[in-house]
């Protein structure tokens, strides 16, 4: 029997995972699972509300549990991870064992330009005096996890269609 693995997208906030994920799901005719939206639907709260009410640690536990469930589903899907999902307790290794993973590599300048007005939806960005430096440091910390992805796609200067095209090539 043929085995078609899941496709999973990882990368920093603002790297375009959700948008590219939607395009991929449409092209490949697969279900799309976006961990942030699914957690919000299931918990009936926004990510910001979960961070402030229950704490980041709890949110990471929700992400991990959800991913394990999604990766075990038999129908191949497109799974979009939150920016921090693969950087906690062996999650990147679990992802690689059950999916073909793509790191959407995006330069700091582009991330900063996209994220500078986004703090309302992204709890980690709130109250940061020097947002650009924060992004740079967090990205440097996370890069080794992202780099474990099966493939790295450089997104700078490319359209969503071009990125999706590289992933499906
Ligand atoms: C986070 C990224 C967010 C969301 C949460 C934490 C992170 O997802 O999961 O705010 O730790 O980088 P996006 O990457 O979809 O913004």
């Amino acid at each position: 029997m043929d085995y078609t693995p899941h496709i999973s997208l990882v990368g920093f906030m603002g790297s375009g995972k959700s948008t590219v994920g939607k395009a991929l799901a449409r092209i490949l005719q697969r279900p799309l699972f976006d961990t942030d939206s699914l957690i919000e639907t299931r918990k009936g709260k926004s990510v910001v509300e979960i961070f402030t009410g229950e704490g980041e640690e709890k949110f990471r536990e929700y992400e991990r549990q959800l991913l394990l469930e999604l990766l075990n589903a038999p129908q191949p899907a497109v799974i979009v991870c939150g920016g921090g999902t693969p950087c906690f307790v062996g999650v990147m290794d679990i992802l690689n064992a059950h999916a073909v993973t793509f790191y959407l590599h995006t330069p700091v300048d582009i991330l900063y330009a996209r994220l500078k007005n986004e703090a309302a939806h992204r709890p980690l960005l709130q109250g940061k005096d020097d947002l650009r430096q924060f992004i740079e440091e967090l990205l440097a910390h996370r890069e080794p996890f992202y780099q474990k992805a099966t493939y790295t796609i450089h997104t700078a200067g490319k359209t969503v269609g071009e990125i999706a095209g590289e992933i499906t090539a």
Side-chain angles (χ1 to χ4, degrees):
M1 199 172 87
D2 281 347
Y3 167 69
T4 312
H6 301 295
I7 286 178
S8 186
L9 303 183
V10 301
F12 206 80
M13 295 170 262
S15 60
K17 301 178 300 279
S18 299
T19 316
V20 172
K22 276 183 201 146
L24 277 178
R26 199 177 52 241
I27 295 165
L28 298 170
Q29 303 272 291
R30 288 184 181 206
L32 171 71
F33 298 119
D34 189 311
T35 57
D36 285 337
S37 332
L38 266 174
I39 291 171
E40 289 185 327
T41 307
R42 288 188 180 185
K43 300 293 169 194
K45 298 180 200 177
S46 69
V47 170
V48 173
E49 284 168 337
I50 297 172
F51 264 71
T52 44
E54 303 181 47
E56 177 172 354
E57 210 173 311
K58 199 80 195 161
F59 177 75
R60 300 303 174 192
E61 206 177 300
Y62 294 153
E63 285 186 308
R64 190 167 190 278
Q65 286 305 324
L66 175 64
L67 254 192
L68 289 174
E69 182 193 320
L70 296 177
L71 289 168
N72 278 315
Q75 191 185 357
V78 174
I79 300 172
V80 173
C81 295
T85 318
C87 311
F88 290 85
V89 282
V91 170
M92 196 63 219
D93 296 327
I94 297 170
L95 270 173
N96 278 328
H98 297 271
V100 183
T101 51
F102 293 85
Y103 167 32
L104 301 192
H105 177 282
T106 308
V108 173
D109 285 338
I110 297 179
L111 294 174
Y112 175 65
R114 289 182 187 161
L115 294 172
K116 62 178 191 251
N117 298 316
E118 282 287 308
H121 314 289
R122 290 179 160 102
L124 289 184
L125 306 182
Q126 290 172 0
K128 297 292 177 295
D129 291 337
D130 189 340
L131 184 60
R132 200 187 181 286
Q133 190 185 342
F134 174 78
I135 293 170
E136 210 169 301
E137 286 171 5
L138 187 58
L139 181 61
H141 167 75
R142 289 179 170 181
E143 194 78 41
F145 297 95
Y146 297 149
Q147 290 288 358
K148 285 178 142 190
T150 326
Y151 299 100
T152 293
I153 305 287
H154 292 272
T155 66
K158 293 177 188 161
T159 64
V160 172
E162 285 167 342
I163 298 166
E166 275 188 40
I167 292 174
T168 52

